[in-house]
């Protein structure tokens, strides 16, 4: 006899993060199983016919469904207050699949200018190739969003907080603009995760993730996900099933376990980043610190309203230019020089020559990416060790 299961609708987010979506085989394993198989076996030919025709529920092939991937999708969707979720092979695959599901030739997508670099390329170079118009607007300029909407606008797409300046978009106001135009608002919620921000509660239609970042949290696996209303997720699922950017069961298993510790990690990342930001503000060699947790940040009040924490990414300018910024980066011994973020290990990077290196100097200036800007994704090390690591570089350029 098996115990009755609690109703997920009655459970709080922290409980869902640990318990939701898990299922148990006849072996009775406690930790979620990793079902590492490409296909599933049918009892007889008639079952095969019905399963393949989707007239009988059940697994067929891991590009369609896989129990471990399903468990991750269900858990993430419940944590984000969404009806359904779909996992993809990477964050970019989540964005691509969303575009493929909802855009066709002749449509228009309005996107924030301050967006993940590959997202710009995906829209500007590839989606545009299929006759979809793409316009970029400054993230926090509501008038520019309003003015940018066209009759054929189907999607508004943004990322908040932005990378690396921590600008904050007003999700509710942008949802209103999208809905007035009969378009969907899609929010890349990678920086906050459902622990710190729930875009759907603020009016967004879809929320998507690079699970590669905080959801894994330890830099091991690539993955992505989209959550939202079931009908919308089914549209995306149709693309993923037929076209192939499905999540590997192994990666889903890593992310499923990642969700269990996500809240404590996000709180620790936020606390470390806040302490580092406040310390950086006091350094004479530092000009400006960009972190929404600081009262001096222009997005602070809005972040306070729509987020329950400020996450772990901050950036700052040092006195001087590229040479000084590079010297600070090269003087670190502990921090990893890598573009990745959302890892237990702190990372440091020079945006102007890496993540934003593709932009022209004018585009960089418009986006506020100065040559003396440094980005840190604050990890889970002791913040005093991170400070000591930076001080070496600060002393070198003083
Ligand atoms: C990393 C990242 C992506 C892309 O995710 P991948 O898993 O690397 O494909 C998309 N959006 C944001 C905000 C990211 O940081």
């Amino acid at each position: 006899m098996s115990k009755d299961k609690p109703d997920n609708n009655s459970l709080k987010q922290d409980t869902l993060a640990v318990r939701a979506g898990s299922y148990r085989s006849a072996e009775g394993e406690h930790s979620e199983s990793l079902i590492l198989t490409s296909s599933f076996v049918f009892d007889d030919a008639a079952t095969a016919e019905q399963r393949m025709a989707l007239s009988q529920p059940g697994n067929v092939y891991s590009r369609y469904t896989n129990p471990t991937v399903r468990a991750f999708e269900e858990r993430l969707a419940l944590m984000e207050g969404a009806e359904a979720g779909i996992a993809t092979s990477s964050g970019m695959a989540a964005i691509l699949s969303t575009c493929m599901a909802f855009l066709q030739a002749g449509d228009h997508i309005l996107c924030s200018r301050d967006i993940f670099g590959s997202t710009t390329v995906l829209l500007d170079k590839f989606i545009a190739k299929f006759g979809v118009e793409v316009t970029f607007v400054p993230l926090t300029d509501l008038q520019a969003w309003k003015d940018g909407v066209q009759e054929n606008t189907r999607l508004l797409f943004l990322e908040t907080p932005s990378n690396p300046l921590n600008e904050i978009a007003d999700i509710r106001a942008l949802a209103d603009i999208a809905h007035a135009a009969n378009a969907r608002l899609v929010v890349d919620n990678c920086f906050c995760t459902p622990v710190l921000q729930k875009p759907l509660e603020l009016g967004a239609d879809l929320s998507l993730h690079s699970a590669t970042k905080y959801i894994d949290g330890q830099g091991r696996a690539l993955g992505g996900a989209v959550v939202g209303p079931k009908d919308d997720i089914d549209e995306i699922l149709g693309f993923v099933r037929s076209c192939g950017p499905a999540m590997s069961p192994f990666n889903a298993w890593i992310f499923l376990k990642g969700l269990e510790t996500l809240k404590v990690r996000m709180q620790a990342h936020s606390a470390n980043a806040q302490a580092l930001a406040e310390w950086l503000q006091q350094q004479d060699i530092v000009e400006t610190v960009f972190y929404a947790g600081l009262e001096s940040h222009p997005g602070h009040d809005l972040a306070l309203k729509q987020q329950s924490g400020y996450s772990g990414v901050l950036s700052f300018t040092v006195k001087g230019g590229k040479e000084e910024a590079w010297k600070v980066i090269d003087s670190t011994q502990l921090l990893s020089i890598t573009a990745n973020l959302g890892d237990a290990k702190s990372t440091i990077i020079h945006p102007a020559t890496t993540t934003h290196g593709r932009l022209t100097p004018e585009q960089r200036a418009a986006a506020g990416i100065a040559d003396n800007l440094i980005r840190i994704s604050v990890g889970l090390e002791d913040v005093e060790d991170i400070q000591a690591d930076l001080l070496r570089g600060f002393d070198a350029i003083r």
Side-chain angles (χ1 to χ4, degrees), residues 89-93 95 116 118-119 159 163 188 190-191 208-213 222-224 340-341:
S89 56
S90 68
M92 289 319 302
I95 299 172
F116 188 66
S118 295
T119 306
E159 211 176 289
N163 175 18
D188 184 333
C190 169
F191 273 45
L208 59 81
H209 297 275
S210 166
T212 315
K213 312 293 167 51
L222 282 176
N340 197 27
L341 59 91

Side-chain angles (χ1 to χ4, degrees), residues 190-191 193 213-217 262 265-266 269 311-313 342 377:
C190 169
F191 273 45
T193 81
K213 312 293 167 51
Y214 287 107
I215 292 178
D216 173 358
L262 187 60
R265 287 188 288 108
M266 292 314 288
H269 281 293
S311 196
V313 179
S377 166

Side-chain angles (χ1 to χ4, degrees), residues 114 346-347 377:
D114 314 277
S346 292
T347 68
S377 166

Side-chain angles (χ1 to χ4, degrees), residues 80-137:
E80 203 145 349
E83 232 173 50
I86 167 96
T88 54
S89 56
S90 68
M92 289 319 302
I95 299 172
L96 171 68
S97 303
T98 303
C99 289
M100 294 306 274
F102 299 113
L103 294 171
Q104 62 181 37
D107 287 348
H108 173 239
I109 175 166
L110 191 57
C111 180
S112 66
R113 189 193 57 199
D114 314 277
I115 199 99
F116 188 66
S118 295
T119 306
T120 312
V121 180
L122 168 70
L123 298 177
D124 225 11
K125 180 157 181 211
F126 296 103
I127 294 294
K129 213 161 76 165
F130 297 95
V132 174
E133 271 186 272
V134 185
T135 320
F136 295 95
V137 288

